[in-house]
Amino acid sequence: LLNLSSWLFGYFVVMMSLTLQTTFTVYLLEDHYKVTDDKAAKVLGNLGFMGDIASISSEFLVGYAMDLFGRKGPTVAGLVMAGLSTFAMPIPKKLGGLYCLRALTNIGSLPINGSPYMVDYVQKESLGRMSGILALVSQASSIIATAGAIQV
């Protein structure tokens, strides 16, 4: 139960981090990177695309690392990488750096988001219920992150 709740908490934090990153990117583009409103949608779309391409191309390597080193090391490394790249978003002076940080955040979130943890911690007959719980955790983290961002 402790392992399952730890994984769910990690999933919650990663999903909240991704939501906050997406929300605050709009403000960063306007204030820090001086992107005009007419180009912001294209930049945000490119950021999402680059992050998804990085995730898709790295999924096999992350899975292989989890098989090779166990689940704990790659998961901790991924969470650290996702957290540091999220906090480093205002540092780059050019949009290329922002694209790289977004890719690193997505790759760092893979051990929690795309992992075999659900199969490890849940019995076969409960996988459907656990999938529903994951959806609930994901939506709750998005709501809390968005509500917090609105207050800022």
Side-chain angles (χ1 to χ4, degrees):
L1 183 62
L2 182 62
N3 286 339
L4 177 63
S5 47
S6 298
W7 172 61
L8 285 174
F9 179 72
Y11 186 79
F12 179 84
V13 169
V14 165
M15 296 308 290
M16 190 181 323
S17 171
L18 292 173
T19 302
L20 283 173
Q21 186 182 50
T22 303
T23 305
F24 284 120
T25 301
V26 175
Y27 300 112
L28 278 175
L29 289 177
E30 183 180 328
D31 295 334
H32 185 69
Y33 293 103
K34 306 297 185 215
V35 174
T36 59
D37 287 342
D38 58 333
K39 295 184 183 188
K42 182 177 180 180
V43 172
L44 287 171
N46 288 340
L47 279 170
F49 177 75
M50 293 295 286
D52 289 343
I53 292 297
S55 294
I56 291 168
S57 62
S58 303
E59 184 78 41
F60 175 77
L61 295 174
V62 170
Y64 182 71
M66 291 178 91
D67 286 343
L68 192 63
F69 303 113
R71 290 185 173 52
K72 190 182 297 183
T75 299
V76 170
L79 288 174
V80 168
M81 184 168 70
L84 290 177
S85 58
T86 298
F87 286 115
M89 283 178 61
I91 294 173
K93 301 295 182 207
K94 305 239 181 215
L95 285 175
L98 189 62
Y99 288 131
C100 291
L101 289 173
R102 180 61 175 262
L104 287 175
T105 301
N106 283 24
I107 293 169
S109 69
L110 283 176
I112 292 285
N113 288 344
S115 76
Y117 282 121
M118 185 165 76
V119 178
D120 288 347
Y121 296 141
V122 180
Q123 295 177 359
K124 189 175 183 179
E125 56 272 0
S126 300
L127 286 174
R129 285 181 287 230
M130 191 60 201
S131 181
I133 290 172
L134 278 180
L136 182 69
V137 168
S138 175
Q139 295 307 313
S141 69
S142 295
I143 290 169
I144 291 170
T146 304
I150 289 171
Q151 297 302 317
V152 174

